Amino acid sequence: PLHEGDRLLVCSDGLSSLIEDEALQAMLCAGADATHTVDELLQRCLDLNAPDNVSAIVVDVLAIGDRPAGTLADDDTLPGLPITTKA
C-alpha cells in the first residue's frame, strides 16, 4: 500500500543499471521536487555516458484518498482510456 509522503521511481534499465541503488536512494531522498529529481537523474546518466536509453518518472504521493481500494473516479483516468484496478 502507498502512504502519504512515499516517493516512487519508475525507470528504464538504462538508469537502474547505471546508477547504484545507494546513489539512487540518496538522490530520491535529497528533498528536491519530483521534476528536479528527474532532471538530476537524467543528467547523472548523461555525465556517465549512458550506453542505453534512459527514462525516468518520479511520483510523490501527496495524499491518500478515502475511496475504497480498486475504485477510481472519472477524473483519475485519461480521456477515452478506462483504468481498472484490483483490490
Side-chain angles (χ1 to χ4, degrees), residues 2 4 7-8 11 13 18 21 23-24 39 49 55 58 66-67 75 77-83:
L2 292 175
E4 188 173 318
R7 176 169 266 195
L8 307 173
C11 66
D13 63 343
L18 188 63
D21 290 346
L24 282 175
D39 290 343
N49 297 314
S55 299
V58 172
D66 58 357
R67 286 185 294 237
D75 60 350
T77 63
L78 297 173
L81 299 173
I83 297 174

Side-chain angles (χ1 to χ4, degrees), residues 1-33:
L2 292 175
H3 301 281
E4 188 173 318
D6 285 352
R7 176 169 266 195
L8 307 173
L9 170 64
V10 180
C11 66
S12 64
D13 63 343
L15 188 147
S16 63
S17 64
L18 188 63
I19 302 177
E20 297 292 328
D21 290 346
E22 295 79 17
L24 282 175
Q25 182 176 4
M27 294 176 79
L28 291 167
C29 295
D33 66 30

